[in-house]
Every structure is written in C-alpha cells, then in structure tokens.
Amino acid sequence: IVDQVDATRIVVRATDETRNVETAVQKTFTYDHWAPTTTVSAPYEAEYLTAFPLSSGPFTEHVSITGRVAVVALKDFMNSYWTGAAFGAWAPASAWRPATVWEPVASSSWSWSDAAFSAYAVGGTITDPRTYTVYARGVDGTQNYNREYNANPVIAGLGKTFRIDPFKPVSKATVPAEG
C-alpha cells in the first residue's frame, strides 16, 4: 500500500491477511525527466574573429546539479568536423569534444577551448578566411540529454556560425596614377 507520494519521497507499508501492519518505510529519490539546456553564446552568430580563444554558453539544469557533461562539435565550411587534430567526416566519438562545465550552480555555464584548433585556424596552410559552426550538447546527472549523440548536429541545428580571418588587409593606391 502506498500511503504518500511526493516529489522526492515515497512512503510504503505492508498489511498482511490478518491485518498486521508493518512500520512505514520511506525512500528519498530525485526524479528528473527534464533535459538540460545548453546554448552557444560565444562566439555570437556571424561574429568575425582574428583567432579562436574559446566557445562558451549557459548550461541550465534545475534538477541534477552534479554530474553534468558538456561537449561541442565544430564544423567547418566543407561540412567536416574537428577531431582534435584535423577536420574529418562526422564520427561522434571524435567529433564531440569535451568542454568544461562550471558547477554546481543551477544556472551555470560551459566553455571549450582547443589549442590545436586555435593554431590550425590562424596558421599553417590556411590562406583565406574560414567559416565554422559550433554546436553544444549537454547531459545531466541522470543522463537526460538535449541533443542526440550519434546524430549529426546539423540535423537539430542551433549552432552558431562564425568566421576566422587572421589576415591583415593590404591597401594599394590606384588613383592618382604614379608619375
């Protein structure tokens, strides 16, 4: 027989056929069926950057305060994903990159930076500005998630697109002509 149920506690007691009643037993638990909310607030949509310092945003979870995880996927203009060393085809195990969740506040935040991507974005063989899109995925302490792990993040959308242009402009006077 269930005597009482509330948001975090259930109290039960049994009664046998001779109407003997046991002492009530209670169990406290947390029921969390809500997925966390993770959004990208930096860089902002269509932002132009000269380098990539980090990506960040809010991580909101009202029930499971501990055990939260955030990951990000970074897509380039060729629809390839950053794997930690290079861009490649979508593969969840390498494309979702670990981010830091700043907890244990209910409305906390996440951040992601990657020295290898930062170096790649402004150096090496890149000869023109590039466009990237960053996606965030959050998982709470009870494994509720706000974006599928295996699905390509483009399907769900909600990424932020930004452009990295590390090249200084070059000016050349054409009028008046020399001489």
Side-chain angles (χ1 to χ4, degrees):
I1 297 173
V2 176
D3 283 347
Q4 173 185 353
V5 177
D6 64 30
T8 59
R9 184 173 57 124
I10 186 167
V11 180
V12 296
R13 68 178 176 192
T15 303
D16 64 18
E17 290 182 16
T18 60
R19 306 230 185 263
N20 293 316
V21 179
E22 77 172 331
T23 305
V25 177
Q26 68 178 340
K27 180 69 177 173
T28 302
F29 63 94
T30 300
Y31 179 70
D32 178 4
H33 67 283
W34 297 100
T37 302
T38 51
T39 52
V40 178
S41 58
Y44 61 81
E45 182 63 31
E47 183 172 6
Y48 277 77
L49 303 168
T50 58
F52 182 79
L54 65 86
S55 184
S56 64
F59 188 117
T60 306
E61 170 57 28
H62 297 289
V63 181
S64 301
I65 301 301
T66 59
R68 296 177 290 183
V69 175
V71 290
V72 298
L74 182 68
K75 181 179 72 72
D76 73 0
F77 66 102
M78 304 262 307
N79 291 321
S80 296
Y81 290 85
W82 182 249
T83 65
F87 281 91
W90 169 251
S94 59
W96 286 118
R97 311 301 306 156
T100 301
V101 177
W102 305 98
E103 56 183 339
V105 214
S107 287
S108 59
S109 62
W110 63 270
S111 66
W112 176 72
S113 61
D114 185 310
F117 173 69
S118 295
Y120 172 89
V122 297
T125 60
I126 298 195
T127 59
D128 56 336
R130 299 276 171 97
T131 300
Y132 303 94
T133 304
V134 63
Y135 302 91
R137 178 180 192 268
V139 181
D140 68 16
T142 57
Q143 302 306 300
N144 295 315
Y145 52 85
N146 60 4
R147 186 184 291 272
E148 291 290 333
Y149 174 77
N150 289 320
N152 186 316
V154 171
I155 295 168
L158 303 175
K160 291 287 175 84
T161 301
F162 61 97
R163 188 171 181 92
I164 296 180
D165 181 359
F167 306 103
K168 294 181 180 178
V170 177
S171 297
K172 182 177 179 183
T174 56
V175 176
E178 283 189 43

